[in-house]
Amino acid sequence: MAGTDRSKEPVLGGPVVVLVEPQLGENIGTSARAMLNGGLTELRLVRPRDGWPNAKATAAAAGADAVIEGARLFDSTAAAIADCRRVYATTARRRDMIKPVLSPARAASEIHAASTADKRCAVLFGPERRGLTNDDVALSDAAIEVDLNPAFRSLNLAQAVLLVSYEWYRASRSVTHFALPIGTTRPATKAELLGFFEHLEGELDRCGFLQVKEKRPTMVRNIRNMFQRANLTEQEVRTLRGIVTGLSVHGPAALAKQESGDLPE
Amino acid sequence: MAGTDRSKEPVLGGPVVVLVEPQLGENIGTSARAMLNGGLTELRLVRPRDGWPNAKATAAAAGADAVIEGARLFDSTAAAIADCRRVYATTARRRDMIKPVLSPARAASEIHAASTADKRCAVLFGPERRGLTNDDVALSDAAIEVDLNPAFRSLNLAQAVLLVSYEWYRASRSVTHFALPIGTTRPATKAELLGFFEHLEGELDRCGFLQVKEKRPTMVRNIRNMFQRANLTEQEVRTLRGIVTGLSVHGPAALAKQESGDLPE
């Protein structure tokens, strides 16, 4: 799903992402791309297996070039996190350690609350397959564990980075969970909607659709509720009135044909 | 991050995942893997470019074989969703349509509330790069849009599937956002903690660390607060008492040396 709007600024103040002994350059590139999706820009690498810089990393970054170009290289995990105040270790399995285990959402919310210019946070990711060593986990304040299907938990490096950066982005701003974009038109006023209802019901009375007197109030309420739920715009109300007008000229004749078993032409 | 526990059952009742005109077999495989991470198992394919079955899909599924083997093939999007009651279209850009736009979290929570045996929901994913056609979007009840960095939004197919299945998994059960696993030991009682505090403070009084009378209450409170924050276990309290006992025999001598500028041996 590509949908980049380059006119907007990235989010600032996110955690440093530390990849410890990453093996494949491709995975460093796709991780950089995953980071930038969530507005994370600061990448640190501890002893990448194939050296640095790595052309495959740049190729796989697919546009997240600035993250790759700004990546810093370190000899040890301890050196990579030396300037950070709080460090999280991503882990897929429980270690024999007494250390808080947080969801990515909870960690992101903590990091958001804690991050300031002089209080950097970092998230550690271990090498493909093996994961972080216990010594690296012991360097961190808390572990991050993604809650996934216990019968099949299989994330690659970039996907783990994506879930952390996605949650960081969610925590760092107020996410819109629901929107109904209506373009240049505007929501219909209740007067416009009522005008449509009265128009429609008048035509339905005329054609005999509402002729059973004791059923009429319920039928009218059901029809009104149905159109209420559609959150109609002013334009759509006009369209519907056009439809009712268009149909109603031939309405009674078509209805009579249907009742006698013929389909309207 | 691999951490599969095969003894546990997958979650049931998730939405159908419909991949419309997927191009690469690899992406079908990685999408199946992404689905199963979130407990989603029902995959439908609309006109996959390279035919079906596809050996590359199976290879890339990395263990999500049952999802691939159970995948069903359809000629059209309409046919693929015919038995579904509610359909969501994943989109990266706003279309010129008046249709609700939901976050993956909001969509997952709706699906969780709506899904029953006779009320299936489906989530549509378009082909790599191009995304869903407007006609496919118009077949759906709502769009799902992932809120990501507006300056760089670049998810591949499997990552988009992962975020939807991750949110479905989150919505379908009560996620643990914080845990402090302590193995076979137990949290210390307050009596044990207080016993340790008194032991420590007794030794600190004895060695002269707390000798400035007006500072003593604040220092004691600070020390107690520091150890309170650590959520100590019974075992750790015993370890700390051992440390205090071990240190205190040589305590006064070491402290005297430090004050005179010598380091303790």
Side-chain angles (χ1 to χ4, degrees), chain A residues 17-52:
Chain A
V17 168
V18 182
L19 303 185
V20 180
E21 299 185 7
Q23 302 185 288
L24 296 172
E26 288 87 338
N27 291 338
I28 301 173
T30 51
S31 295
R33 183 179 163 196
M35 285 171 62
L36 198 51
N37 268 295
L40 301 183
T41 53
E42 191 168 347
L43 176 61
R44 299 183 182 178
L45 303 170
V46 178
R47 297 188 301 273
R49 189 191 64 186
D50 299 338
W52 195 255

PDB file of all heavy atoms in Angstrom, chain A residues 17-52:
ATOM      1  N   VAL A  17      16.398   2.957  16.868  1.00  0.00           N
ATOM      2  CA  VAL A  17      16.278   1.529  16.572  1.00  0.00           C
ATOM      3  C   VAL A  17      17.688   0.947  16.468  1.00  0.00           C
ATOM      4  O   VAL A  17      18.502   1.432  15.681  1.00  0.00           O
ATOM      5  CB  VAL A  17      15.488   1.290  15.271  1.00  0.00           C
ATOM      6  CG1 VAL A  17      15.609  -0.158  14.806  1.00  0.00           C
ATOM      7  CG2 VAL A  17      14.021   1.658  15.474  1.00  0.00           C
ATOM      8  N   VAL A  18      17.980  -0.055  17.303  1.00  0.00           N
ATOM      9  CA  VAL A  18      19.295  -0.693  17.307  1.00  0.00           C
ATOM     10  C   VAL A  18      19.156  -2.111  16.774  1.00  0.00           C
ATOM     11  O   VAL A  18      18.470  -2.938  17.379  1.00  0.00           O
ATOM     12  CB  VAL A  18      19.894  -0.729  18.731  1.00  0.00           C
ATOM     13  CG1 VAL A  18      21.291  -1.350  18.699  1.00  0.00           C
ATOM     14  CG2 VAL A  18      19.935   0.672  19.339  1.00  0.00           C
ATOM     15  N   LEU A  19      19.776  -2.375  15.625  1.00  0.00           N
ATOM     16  CA  LEU A  19      19.802  -3.742  15.095  1.00  0.00           C
ATOM     17  C   LEU A  19      21.115  -4.381  15.520  1.00  0.00           C
ATOM     18  O   LEU A  19      22.190  -3.914  15.140  1.00  0.00           O
ATOM     19  CB  LEU A  19      19.691  -3.745  13.564  1.00  0.00           C
ATOM     20  CG  LEU A  19      18.464  -3.062  12.946  1.00  0.00           C
ATOM     21  CD1 LEU A  19      18.452  -3.271  11.423  1.00  0.00           C
ATOM     22  CD2 LEU A  19      17.171  -3.573  13.558  1.00  0.00           C
ATOM     23  N   VAL A  20      21.013  -5.431  16.344  1.00  0.00           N
ATOM     24  CA  VAL A  20      22.215  -6.087  16.857  1.00  0.00           C
ATOM     25  C   VAL A  20      22.585  -7.240  15.934  1.00  0.00           C
ATOM     26  O   VAL A  20      21.782  -8.146  15.702  1.00  0.00           O
ATOM     27  CB  VAL A  20      21.980  -6.600  18.292  1.00  0.00           C
ATOM     28  CG1 VAL A  20      23.233  -7.290  18.822  1.00  0.00           C
ATOM     29  CG2 VAL A  20      21.568  -5.449  19.206  1.00  0.00           C
ATOM     30  N   GLU A  21      23.799  -7.192  15.384  1.00  0.00           N
ATOM     31  CA  GLU A  21      24.322  -8.232  14.491  1.00  0.00           C
ATOM     32  C   GLU A  21      23.351  -8.674  13.409  1.00  0.00           C
ATOM     33  O   GLU A  21      23.118  -9.875  13.224  1.00  0.00           O
ATOM     34  CB  GLU A  21      24.799  -9.449  15.301  1.00  0.00           C
ATOM     35  CG  GLU A  21      25.914  -9.074  16.252  1.00  0.00           C
ATOM     36  CD  GLU A  21      26.509 -10.284  16.992  1.00  0.00           C
ATOM     37  OE1 GLU A  21      26.141 -11.428  16.654  1.00  0.00           O
ATOM     38  OE2 GLU A  21      27.340 -10.063  17.879  1.00  0.00           O
ATOM     39  N   PRO A  22      22.778  -7.715  12.661  1.00  0.00           N
ATOM     40  CA  PRO A  22      21.888  -8.138  11.566  1.00  0.00           C
ATOM     41  C   PRO A  22      22.709  -8.870  10.519  1.00  0.00           C
ATOM     42  O   PRO A  22      23.861  -8.530  10.275  1.00  0.00           O
ATOM     43  CB  PRO A  22      21.335  -6.818  11.033  1.00  0.00           C
ATOM     44  CG  PRO A  22      22.362  -5.795  11.397  1.00  0.00           C
ATOM     45  CD  PRO A  22      22.951  -6.253  12.701  1.00  0.00           C
ATOM     46  N   GLN A  23      22.103  -9.877   9.884  1.00  0.00           N
ATOM     47  CA  GLN A  23      22.854 -10.702   8.946  1.00  0.00           C
ATOM     48  C   GLN A  23      22.746 -10.199   7.511  1.00  0.00           C
ATOM     49  O   GLN A  23      23.745  -9.874   6.900  1.00  0.00           O
ATOM     50  CB  GLN A  23      22.389 -12.162   9.057  1.00  0.00           C
ATOM     51  CG  GLN A  23      22.568 -12.705  10.482  1.00  0.00           C
ATOM     52  CD  GLN A  23      22.234 -14.176  10.568  1.00  0.00           C
ATOM     53  OE1 GLN A  23      21.083 -14.585  10.498  1.00  0.00           O
ATOM     54  NE2 GLN A  23      23.254 -14.991  10.709  1.00  0.00           N
ATOM     55  N   LEU A  24      21.527 -10.103   6.980  1.00  0.00           N
ATOM     56  CA  LEU A  24      21.343  -9.734   5.576  1.00  0.00           C
ATOM     57  C   LEU A  24      21.152  -8.231   5.394  1.00  0.00           C
ATOM     58  O   LEU A  24      20.347  -7.607   6.088  1.00  0.00           O
ATOM     59  CB  LEU A  24      20.124 -10.461   5.003  1.00  0.00           C
ATOM     60  CG  LEU A  24      20.219 -11.993   4.947  1.00  0.00           C
ATOM     61  CD1 LEU A  24      18.884 -12.594   4.555  1.00  0.00           C
ATOM     62  CD2 LEU A  24      21.313 -12.417   3.971  1.00  0.00           C
ATOM     63  N   GLY A  25      21.875  -7.668   4.414  1.00  0.00           N
ATOM     64  CA  GLY A  25      21.702  -6.258   4.078  1.00  0.00           C
ATOM     65  C   GLY A  25      20.255  -5.926   3.734  1.00  0.00           C
ATOM     66  O   GLY A  25      19.736  -4.879   4.113  1.00  0.00           O
ATOM     67  N   GLU A  26      19.582  -6.836   3.000  1.00  0.00           N
ATOM     68  CA  GLU A  26      18.181  -6.628   2.635  1.00  0.00           C
ATOM     69  C   GLU A  26      17.335  -6.345   3.870  1.00  0.00           C
ATOM     70  O   GLU A  26      16.444  -5.486   3.852  1.00  0.00           O
ATOM     71  CB  GLU A  26      17.589  -7.873   1.938  1.00  0.00           C
ATOM     72  CG  GLU A  26      18.075  -8.111   0.534  1.00  0.00           C
ATOM     73  CD  GLU A  26      19.358  -8.924   0.491  1.00  0.00           C
ATOM     74  OE1 GLU A  26      20.095  -8.962   1.510  1.00  0.00           O
ATOM     75  OE2 GLU A  26      19.643  -9.502  -0.568  1.00  0.00           O
ATOM     76  N   ASN A  27      17.596  -7.101   4.934  1.00  0.00           N
ATOM     77  CA  ASN A  27      16.770  -6.944   6.139  1.00  0.00           C
ATOM     78  C   ASN A  27      17.028  -5.613   6.834  1.00  0.00           C
ATOM     79  O   ASN A  27      16.133  -5.057   7.467  1.00  0.00           O
ATOM     80  CB  ASN A  27      17.019  -8.104   7.100  1.00  0.00           C
ATOM     81  CG  ASN A  27      16.470  -9.413   6.539  1.00  0.00           C
ATOM     82  OD1 ASN A  27      15.581  -9.391   5.685  1.00  0.00           O
ATOM     83  ND2 ASN A  27      16.991 -10.525   7.002  1.00  0.00           N
ATOM     84  N   ILE A  28      18.252  -5.094   6.708  1.00  0.00           N
ATOM     85  CA  ILE A  28      18.541  -3.758   7.255  1.00  0.00           C
ATOM     86  C   ILE A  28      17.745  -2.727   6.453  1.00  0.00           C
ATOM     87  O   ILE A  28      17.130  -1.814   7.006  1.00  0.00           O
ATOM     88  CB  ILE A  28      20.055  -3.463   7.212  1.00  0.00           C
ATOM     89  CG1 ILE A  28      20.825  -4.513   8.027  1.00  0.00           C
ATOM     90  CG2 ILE A  28      20.343  -2.047   7.733  1.00  0.00           C
ATOM     91  CD1 ILE A  28      22.343  -4.408   7.910  1.00  0.00           C
ATOM     92  N   GLY A  29      17.711  -2.912   5.117  1.00  0.00           N
ATOM     93  CA  GLY A  29      16.968  -1.987   4.254  1.00  0.00           C
ATOM     94  C   GLY A  29      15.473  -2.019   4.519  1.00  0.00           C
ATOM     95  O   GLY A  29      14.836  -0.970   4.660  1.00  0.00           O
ATOM     96  N   THR A  30      14.901  -3.234   4.596  1.00  0.00           N
ATOM     97  CA  THR A  30      13.452  -3.310   4.821  1.00  0.00           C
ATOM     98  C   THR A  30      13.106  -2.831   6.231  1.00  0.00           C
ATOM     99  O   THR A  30      12.027  -2.282   6.453  1.00  0.00           O
ATOM    100  CB  THR A  30      12.925  -4.742   4.587  1.00  0.00           C
ATOM    101  OG1 THR A  30      13.721  -5.656   5.337  1.00  0.00           O
ATOM    102  CG2 THR A  30      12.998  -5.117   3.111  1.00  0.00           C
ATOM    103  N   SER A  31      14.037  -2.993   7.173  1.00  0.00           N
ATOM    104  CA  SER A  31      13.796  -2.465   8.525  1.00  0.00           C
ATOM    105  C   SER A  31      13.787  -0.940   8.519  1.00  0.00           C
ATOM    106  O   SER A  31      12.970  -0.314   9.208  1.00  0.00           O
ATOM    107  CB  SER A  31      14.862  -2.977   9.508  1.00  0.00           C
ATOM    108  OG  SER A  31      14.759  -4.381   9.647  1.00  0.00           O
ATOM    109  N   ALA A  32      14.689  -0.337   7.737  1.00  0.00           N
ATOM    110  CA  ALA A  32      14.720   1.127   7.625  1.00  0.00           C
ATOM    111  C   ALA A  32      13.407   1.637   7.041  1.00  0.00           C
ATOM    112  O   ALA A  32      12.835   2.632   7.508  1.00  0.00           O
ATOM    113  CB  ALA A  32      15.890   1.559   6.744  1.00  0.00           C
ATOM    114  N   ARG A  33      12.911   0.924   6.041  1.00  0.00           N
ATOM    115  CA  ARG A  33      11.631   1.270   5.426  1.00  0.00           C
ATOM    116  C   ARG A  33      10.493   1.130   6.450  1.00  0.00           C
ATOM    117  O   ARG A  33       9.632   2.011   6.564  1.00  0.00           O
ATOM    118  CB  ARG A  33      11.425   0.316   4.239  1.00  0.00           C
ATOM    119  CG  ARG A  33      10.181   0.563   3.441  1.00  0.00           C
ATOM    120  CD  ARG A  33      10.116  -0.449   2.281  1.00  0.00           C
ATOM    121  NE  ARG A  33       8.775  -0.507   1.737  1.00  0.00           N
ATOM    122  CZ  ARG A  33       8.319  -1.475   0.943  1.00  0.00           C
ATOM    123  NH1 ARG A  33       9.116  -2.477   0.608  1.00  0.00           N
ATOM    124  NH2 ARG A  33       7.092  -1.449   0.491  1.00  0.00           N
ATOM    125  N   ALA A  34      10.513   0.046   7.209  1.00  0.00           N
ATOM    126  CA  ALA A  34       9.482  -0.161   8.239  1.00  0.00           C
ATOM    127  C   ALA A  34       9.537   0.956   9.278  1.00  0.00           C
ATOM    128  O   ALA A  34       8.503   1.459   9.727  1.00  0.00           O
ATOM    129  CB  ALA A  34       9.667  -1.526   8.900  1.00  0.00           C
ATOM    130  N   MET A  35      10.760   1.371   9.662  1.00  0.00           N
ATOM    131  CA  MET A  35      10.923   2.463  10.628  1.00  0.00           C
ATOM    132  C   MET A  35      10.243   3.730  10.141  1.00  0.00           C
ATOM    133  O   MET A  35       9.464   4.364  10.855  1.00  0.00           O
ATOM    134  CB  MET A  35      12.414   2.783  10.828  1.00  0.00           C
ATOM    135  CG  MET A  35      13.196   1.792  11.667  1.00  0.00           C
ATOM    136  SD  MET A  35      14.994   2.152  11.601  1.00  0.00           S
ATOM    137  CE  MET A  35      15.074   3.803  12.330  1.00  0.00           C
ATOM    138  N   LEU A  36      10.579   4.106   8.894  1.00  0.00           N
ATOM    139  CA  LEU A  36      10.126   5.403   8.381  1.00  0.00           C
ATOM    140  C   LEU A  36       8.600   5.439   8.218  1.00  0.00           C
ATOM    141  O   LEU A  36       7.985   6.504   8.349  1.00  0.00           O
ATOM    142  CB  LEU A  36      10.836   5.717   7.064  1.00  0.00           C
ATOM    143  CG  LEU A  36      10.807   7.183   6.623  1.00  0.00           C
ATOM    144  CD1 LEU A  36      11.271   8.120   7.723  1.00  0.00           C
ATOM    145  CD2 LEU A  36      11.650   7.389   5.378  1.00  0.00           C
ATOM    146  N   ASN A  37       7.986   4.279   7.987  1.00  0.00           N
ATOM    147  CA  ASN A  37       6.521   4.218   7.956  1.00  0.00           C
ATOM    148  C   ASN A  37       5.920   4.756   9.250  1.00  0.00           C
ATOM    149  O   ASN A  37       4.845   5.347   9.240  1.00  0.00           O
ATOM    150  CB  ASN A  37       6.056   2.767   7.778  1.00  0.00           C
ATOM    151  CG  ASN A  37       5.855   2.391   6.327  1.00  0.00           C
ATOM    152  OD1 ASN A  37       4.993   2.934   5.666  1.00  0.00           O
ATOM    153  ND2 ASN A  37       6.662   1.458   5.847  1.00  0.00           N
ATOM    154  N   GLY A  38       6.602   4.500  10.351  1.00  0.00           N
ATOM    155  CA  GLY A  38       6.109   4.962  11.645  1.00  0.00           C
ATOM    156  C   GLY A  38       6.799   6.241  12.097  1.00  0.00           C
ATOM    157  O   GLY A  38       6.666   6.638  13.253  1.00  0.00           O
ATOM    158  N   GLY A  39       7.562   6.878  11.195  1.00  0.00           N
ATOM    159  CA  GLY A  39       8.190   8.150  11.534  1.00  0.00           C
ATOM    160  C   GLY A  39       9.477   8.006  12.341  1.00  0.00           C
ATOM    161  O   GLY A  39       9.960   8.987  12.901  1.00  0.00           O
ATOM    162  N   LEU A  40      10.050   6.797  12.408  1.00  0.00           N
ATOM    163  CA  LEU A  40      11.327   6.615  13.121  1.00  0.00           C
ATOM    164  C   LEU A  40      12.471   6.802  12.128  1.00  0.00           C
ATOM    165  O   LEU A  40      12.413   6.284  11.006  1.00  0.00           O
ATOM    166  CB  LEU A  40      11.411   5.223  13.748  1.00  0.00           C
ATOM    167  CG  LEU A  40      10.315   4.890  14.762  1.00  0.00           C
ATOM    168  CD1 LEU A  40      10.558   3.511  15.376  1.00  0.00           C
ATOM    169  CD2 LEU A  40      10.248   5.947  15.853  1.00  0.00           C
ATOM    170  N   THR A  41      13.512   7.533  12.553  1.00  0.00           N
ATOM    171  CA  THR A  41      14.557   7.883  11.591  1.00  0.00           C
ATOM    172  C   THR A  41      15.973   7.527  12.059  1.00  0.00           C
ATOM    173  O   THR A  41      16.891   7.538  11.246  1.00  0.00           O
ATOM    174  CB  THR A  41      14.533   9.402  11.312  1.00  0.00           C
ATOM    175  OG1 THR A  41      14.600  10.091  12.564  1.00  0.00           O
ATOM    176  CG2 THR A  41      13.258   9.803  10.584  1.00  0.00           C
ATOM    177  N   GLU A  42      16.163   7.223  13.350  1.00  0.00           N
ATOM    178  CA  GLU A  42      17.529   7.028  13.847  1.00  0.00           C
ATOM    179  C   GLU A  42      17.861   5.552  14.005  1.00  0.00           C
ATOM    180  O   GLU A  42      17.383   4.874  14.912  1.00  0.00           O
ATOM    181  CB  GLU A  42      17.715   7.770  15.181  1.00  0.00           C
ATOM    182  CG  GLU A  42      19.181   7.809  15.560  1.00  0.00           C
ATOM    183  CD  GLU A  42      19.475   8.773  16.699  1.00  0.00           C
ATOM    184  OE1 GLU A  42      18.593   9.599  17.030  1.00  0.00           O
ATOM    185  OE2 GLU A  42      20.574   8.674  17.266  1.00  0.00           O
ATOM    186  N   LEU A  43      18.754   5.075  13.119  1.00  0.00           N
ATOM    187  CA  LEU A  43      19.126   3.659  13.071  1.00  0.00           C
ATOM    188  C   LEU A  43      20.564   3.484  13.547  1.00  0.00           C
ATOM    189  O   LEU A  43      21.450   4.232  13.147  1.00  0.00           O
ATOM    190  CB  LEU A  43      18.981   3.161  11.628  1.00  0.00           C
ATOM    191  CG  LEU A  43      19.401   1.720  11.309  1.00  0.00           C
ATOM    192  CD1 LEU A  43      18.566   0.712  12.096  1.00  0.00           C
ATOM    193  CD2 LEU A  43      19.274   1.454   9.812  1.00  0.00           C
ATOM    194  N   ARG A  44      20.786   2.503  14.417  1.00  0.00           N
ATOM    195  CA  ARG A  44      22.149   2.154  14.847  1.00  0.00           C
ATOM    196  C   ARG A  44      22.368   0.664  14.604  1.00  0.00           C
ATOM    197  O   ARG A  44      21.464  -0.145  14.828  1.00  0.00           O
ATOM    198  CB  ARG A  44      22.335   2.489  16.333  1.00  0.00           C
ATOM    199  CG  ARG A  44      22.151   3.967  16.585  1.00  0.00           C
ATOM    200  CD  ARG A  44      22.399   4.353  18.025  1.00  0.00           C
ATOM    201  NE  ARG A  44      22.154   5.779  18.200  1.00  0.00           N
ATOM    202  CZ  ARG A  44      22.256   6.424  19.363  1.00  0.00           C
ATOM    203  NH1 ARG A  44      22.604   5.758  20.456  1.00  0.00           N
ATOM    204  NH2 ARG A  44      22.021   7.712  19.433  1.00  0.00           N
ATOM    205  N   LEU A  45      23.570   0.330  14.160  1.00  0.00           N
ATOM    206  CA  LEU A  45      23.893  -1.047  13.814  1.00  0.00           C
ATOM    207  C   LEU A  45      25.048  -1.535  14.679  1.00  0.00           C
ATOM    208  O   LEU A  45      26.071  -0.859  14.782  1.00  0.00           O
ATOM    209  CB  LEU A  45      24.300  -1.139  12.341  1.00  0.00           C
ATOM    210  CG  LEU A  45      23.266  -0.617  11.329  1.00  0.00           C
ATOM    211  CD1 LEU A  45      23.894  -0.540   9.938  1.00  0.00           C
ATOM    212  CD2 LEU A  45      22.029  -1.496  11.329  1.00  0.00           C
ATOM    213  N   VAL A  46      24.870  -2.698  15.293  1.00  0.00           N
ATOM    214  CA  VAL A  46      25.945  -3.301  16.066  1.00  0.00           C
ATOM    215  C   VAL A  46      26.508  -4.470  15.269  1.00  0.00           C
ATOM    216  O   VAL A  46      25.794  -5.455  15.019  1.00  0.00           O
ATOM    217  CB  VAL A  46      25.435  -3.788  17.447  1.00  0.00           C
ATOM    218  CG1 VAL A  46      26.563  -4.460  18.229  1.00  0.00           C
ATOM    219  CG2 VAL A  46      24.839  -2.620  18.236  1.00  0.00           C
ATOM    220  N   ARG A  47      27.750  -4.382  14.841  1.00  0.00           N
ATOM    221  CA  ARG A  47      28.446  -5.455  14.121  1.00  0.00           C
ATOM    222  C   ARG A  47      27.619  -6.126  13.028  1.00  0.00           C
ATOM    223  O   ARG A  47      27.390  -7.348  13.075  1.00  0.00           O
ATOM    224  CB  ARG A  47      28.925  -6.525  15.111  1.00  0.00           C
ATOM    225  CG  ARG A  47      29.945  -6.067  16.139  1.00  0.00           C
ATOM    226  CD  ARG A  47      30.513  -7.234  16.947  1.00  0.00           C
ATOM    227  NE  ARG A  47      29.503  -7.987  17.670  1.00  0.00           N
ATOM    228  CZ  ARG A  47      29.059  -7.685  18.895  1.00  0.00           C
ATOM    229  NH1 ARG A  47      29.583  -6.650  19.556  1.00  0.00           N
ATOM    230  NH2 ARG A  47      28.130  -8.403  19.474  1.00  0.00           N
ATOM    231  N   PRO A  48      27.151  -5.374  12.018  1.00  0.00           N
ATOM    232  CA  PRO A  48      26.414  -6.043  10.937  1.00  0.00           C
ATOM    233  C   PRO A  48      27.325  -7.063  10.245  1.00  0.00           C
ATOM    234  O   PRO A  48      28.485  -6.748   9.973  1.00  0.00           O
ATOM    235  CB  PRO A  48      26.024  -4.898   9.998  1.00  0.00           C
ATOM    236  CG  PRO A  48      26.947  -3.776  10.330  1.00  0.00           C
ATOM    237  CD  PRO A  48      27.307  -3.918  11.771  1.00  0.00           C
ATOM    238  N   ARG A  49      26.824  -8.268   9.986  1.00  0.00           N
ATOM    239  CA  ARG A  49      27.655  -9.379   9.509  1.00  0.00           C
ATOM    240  C   ARG A  49      28.418  -9.053   8.239  1.00  0.00           C
ATOM    241  O   ARG A  49      29.606  -9.384   8.109  1.00  0.00           O
ATOM    242  CB  ARG A  49      26.779 -10.607   9.259  1.00  0.00           C
ATOM    243  CG  ARG A  49      27.566 -11.868   8.979  1.00  0.00           C
ATOM    244  CD  ARG A  49      26.673 -12.988   8.470  1.00  0.00           C
ATOM    245  NE  ARG A  49      26.070 -12.647   7.181  1.00  0.00           N
ATOM    246  CZ  ARG A  49      25.153 -13.398   6.570  1.00  0.00           C
ATOM    247  NH1 ARG A  49      24.726 -14.510   7.142  1.00  0.00           N
ATOM    248  NH2 ARG A  49      24.655 -13.023   5.402  1.00  0.00           N
ATOM    249  N   ASP A  50      27.720  -8.353   7.284  1.00  0.00           N
ATOM    250  CA  ASP A  50      28.339  -8.134   5.976  1.00  0.00           C
ATOM    251  C   ASP A  50      28.959  -6.745   5.836  1.00  0.00           C
ATOM    252  O   ASP A  50      29.122  -6.240   4.712  1.00  0.00           O
ATOM    253  CB  ASP A  50      27.303  -8.366   4.866  1.00  0.00           C
ATOM    254  CG  ASP A  50      26.784  -9.800   4.886  1.00  0.00           C
ATOM    255  OD1 ASP A  50      27.490 -10.669   5.429  1.00  0.00           O
ATOM    256  OD2 ASP A  50      25.669 -10.037   4.385  1.00  0.00           O
ATOM    257  N   GLY A  51      29.287  -6.112   6.957  1.00  0.00           N
ATOM    258  CA  GLY A  51      29.952  -4.810   6.903  1.00  0.00           C
ATOM    259  C   GLY A  51      28.995  -3.679   6.607  1.00  0.00           C
ATOM    260  O   GLY A  51      27.791  -3.877   6.410  1.00  0.00           O
ATOM    261  N   TRP A  52      29.561  -2.472   6.583  1.00  0.00           N
ATOM    262  CA  TRP A  52      28.748  -1.279   6.376  1.00  0.00           C
ATOM    263  C   TRP A  52      29.586  -0.198   5.748  1.00  0.00           C
ATOM    264  O   TRP A  52      30.732  -0.065   6.147  1.00  0.00           O
ATOM    265  CB  TRP A  52      28.168  -0.800   7.721  1.00  0.00           C
ATOM    266  CG  TRP A  52      27.062   0.181   7.530  1.00  0.00           C
ATOM    267  CD1 TRP A  52      27.147   1.531   7.727  1.00  0.00           C
ATOM    268  CD2 TRP A  52      25.743  -0.095   7.101  1.00  0.00           C
ATOM    269  NE1 TRP A  52      25.945   2.112   7.454  1.00  0.00           N
ATOM    270  CE2 TRP A  52      25.055   1.134   7.051  1.00  0.00           C
ATOM    271  CE3 TRP A  52      25.073  -1.260   6.721  1.00  0.00           C
ATOM    272  CZ2 TRP A  52      23.735   1.229   6.646  1.00  0.00           C
ATOM    273  CZ3 TRP A  52      23.758  -1.162   6.333  1.00  0.00           C
ATOM    274  CH2 TRP A  52      23.107   0.080   6.298  1.00  0.00           C
TER     275      TRP A  52
END
